[in-house]
Amino acid sequence: MITVPWNRKQWGTDILNLVARIHECKGRQDLFVRQKPVELERLVKIAKIQSTEASNRIEGIVTTGTRIKQLFEEKTTPRNRDEDEIMGYRDVLNTIHESHDYIPIRPSYVLQLHKDLLAKSGLSYGGHFKNVQNYISETRADGTVFTRFTPVEPFCTPDAVENLCNAYEQAISGERINALILIPSFIIDFLCIHPFNDGNGRMSRLLTLLLIYKSGYEVGKYISIERQIELTKDRYYETLELSDADWHEGKNDPTPFIRYMLQVILACYTEFEKRVGIMDDSGSRSHAYDIVKNYVSSKIGKITAVDVVANCPKLAKSSVLREIKRLTEEGVLIKLGGGRSTYYIRSDSK
């Protein structure tokens, strides 16, 4: 049963506080974007790669970091189905980044995005609702598999998606409920319908981006929301399970997943402001050495050159490598490993 909660007027203080904090972050983000559009472009490129890699990896679709970078830079072509599907995700992600204002929440557009997602893999069911019953299964510790949730039946799926899209559009246009609460509720219903033979998880994350972008929360362009979900994957699945219980009876409570997604979005805004802070050149302009040193001094555990380059977007790769070498020579960092396995730790951690 569709559970978009437009009739619910009471939400916990923690939910409302998360919404308020995200709204404040959005205001600061808008200012940063106006002030530093050129510098932030590098964050966009990094986030696209991380989003594509993380969302597919959640589903067991993988390739190497080197390959995905080459694929994004169009220096090579996909060589297996996993890479075909990774590139399909990239294409839909680009569409959403560039044209979200012109993608209405209608079944025909959801189908088109799904078709584009699977286009490069050559699968015949891309862009079509499921024609066989699917199940959400879970593997126990002893290796046995059991069905945790049975989604909507195939013959009911088109109407279910139509009703979901209509309910969402009515709620969002009527401003009956805050978009940040409404969007995770939409995603819960979408996943309970599970409208496709394949690609439901990836589509749910792409639709999450689309919906939050359309509501003006564009942090996912600069910091990968999918990567944050992957980093907290156990909680992601746990809150989904809590929120879809008794869904068919219309008695489920989407609050756990709403809370989780708000925390994910807020974590991305926090990371965004941290990276913008590293880029900040107000007052006396920060030198490359200071920027790199400030970043590594804030990190615990292993530090790789790739991490530093990604988190110091204002600096060229050559500048980052030069300053890492300097910090190592000064004893601020300790170099360990070798070749592609090289990493660093802070000297004060020994």
Side-chain angles (χ1 to χ4, degrees):
M1 178 177 290
I2 306 306
T3 58
V4 175
W6 57 78
N7 291 324
R8 182 171 179 177
K9 296 181 181 180
Q10 298 295 323
W11 295 94
T13 302
D14 63 329
I15 297 287
L16 298 178
N17 284 342
L18 285 167
V19 169
R21 291 173 65 188
I22 291 170
H23 188 69
E24 291 172 2
C25 289
K26 176 185 176 296
R28 292 194 294 270
Q29 175 203 303
D30 294 343
L31 177 62
F32 293 142
V33 170
R34 289 195 299 270
Q35 290 179 338
K36 301 176 181 291
V38 176
E39 293 94 332
L40 291 177
E41 274 304 306
R42 187 169 175 188
L43 287 183
V44 173
K45 294 177 183 178
I46 294 168
K48 282 184 180 181
I49 293 176
Q50 290 182 341
S51 292
T52 300
E53 188 173 25
S55 190
N56 281 280
R57 193 160 50 210
I58 290 171
E59 308 299 334
I61 302 168
V62 297
T63 190
T64 66
T66 299
R67 286 286 302 167
I68 198 167
K69 185 175 180 182
Q70 291 173 339
L71 287 164
F72 264 74
E73 295 174 350
E74 299 186 346
K75 293 181 178 179
T76 187
T77 56
R79 62 185 180 191
N80 54 44
R81 177 172 162 178
D82 274 13
E83 292 188 353
D84 285 332
E85 295 199 29
I86 286 168
M87 288 298 91
Y89 194 96
R90 179 206 62 176
D91 292 345
V92 178
L93 187 63
N94 284 336
T95 298
I96 290 172
H97 271 233
E98 296 162 8
S99 305
H100 52 81
D101 285 337
Y102 308 104
I103 305 175
I105 308 305
R106 297 176 192 160
S108 59
Y109 281 81
V110 173
L111 287 169
Q112 183 63 52
L113 292 175
H114 184 257
K115 180 179 180 180
D116 294 346
L117 175 67
L118 300 185
K120 288 182 166 57
S121 62
L123 297 171
S124 62
Y125 47 74
H128 300 280
F129 290 129
K130 62 188 176 187
N131 54 14
V132 295
Q133 180 64 60
N134 47 15
Y135 301 92
I136 299 175
S137 301
E138 189 172 322
T139 303
R140 294 189 175 96
D142 62 4
T144 58
V145 178
F146 71 100
T147 298
R148 187 183 65 74
F149 185 86
T150 302
V152 169
E153 296 178 351
F155 72 92
C156 295
T157 295
D159 284 345
V161 174
E162 179 82 34
N163 292 339
L164 175 60
C165 292
N166 288 342
Y168 178 83
E169 288 289 87
Q170 290 171 12
I172 204 75
S173 63
E175 299 183 358
R176 300 176 186 178
I177 187 169
N178 189 284
L180 291 170
I181 294 175
L182 186 61
I183 290 166
S185 302
F186 177 98
I187 297 302
I188 281 288
D189 287 333
F190 176 85
L191 286 171
C192 287
I193 296 168
H194 234 60
F196 302 113
N197 287 352
D198 185 31
N200 293 287
R202 285 169 288 162
M203 279 297 297
S204 74
R205 291 183 286 276
L206 288 165
L207 288 171
T208 297
L209 290 180
L210 174 62
L211 294 173
I212 65 173
Y213 288 178
K214 289 176 72 68
S215 295
Y217 299 90
E218 298 188 359
V219 69
K221 287 186 176 182
Y222 308 102
I223 302 295
S224 171
I225 288 177
E226 295 96 324
R227 184 169 183 269
Q228 183 63 28
I229 290 173
E230 186 195 14
L231 291 172
T232 54
K233 185 169 64 173
D234 289 345
R235 286 190 55 231
Y236 172 66
Y237 285 122
E238 177 187 341
T239 57
L240 281 173
E241 183 174 354
L242 290 170
S243 297
D244 67 23
D246 299 322
W247 182 84
H248 286 285
E249 293 76 29
K251 297 178 180 179
N252 70 303
D253 181 5
T255 304
F257 188 66
I258 291 171
R259 181 184 296 109
Y260 168 77
M261 283 307 305
L262 292 175
Q263 290 168 340
V264 163
I265 294 169
L266 182 59
C268 289
Y269 270 114
T270 301
E271 181 66 17
F272 174 77
E273 294 191 2
K274 176 182 172 184
R275 295 196 189 186
V276 171
I278 292 171
M279 296 164 57
D280 192 9
D281 58 1
S282 58
S284 59
R285 188 181 182 87
S286 294
H287 294 90
Y289 174 84
D290 299 318
I291 293 173
V292 174
K293 186 176 182 180
N294 286 339
Y295 173 71
V296 300
S297 296
S298 70
K299 296 299 292 181
I300 296 174
K302 293 182 179 181
I303 304 166
T304 67
V306 172
D307 292 333
V308 185
V309 170
N311 286 280
C312 301
K314 189 172 184 179
L315 303 179
K317 181 179 178 181
S318 58
S319 297
V320 170
L321 297 178
R322 182 184 68 243
E323 301 310 333
I324 289 175
K325 181 180 179 182
R326 181 178 169 186
L327 289 166
T328 304
E329 291 170 349
E330 292 177 352
V332 176
L333 295 175
I334 297 174
K335 181 179 179 181
L336 299 171
R340 293 186 177 181
S341 300
T342 298
Y343 64 94
Y344 304 83
I345 60 172
R346 286 163 40 184
S347 60
D348 62 2
S349 67
K350 294 288 284 183

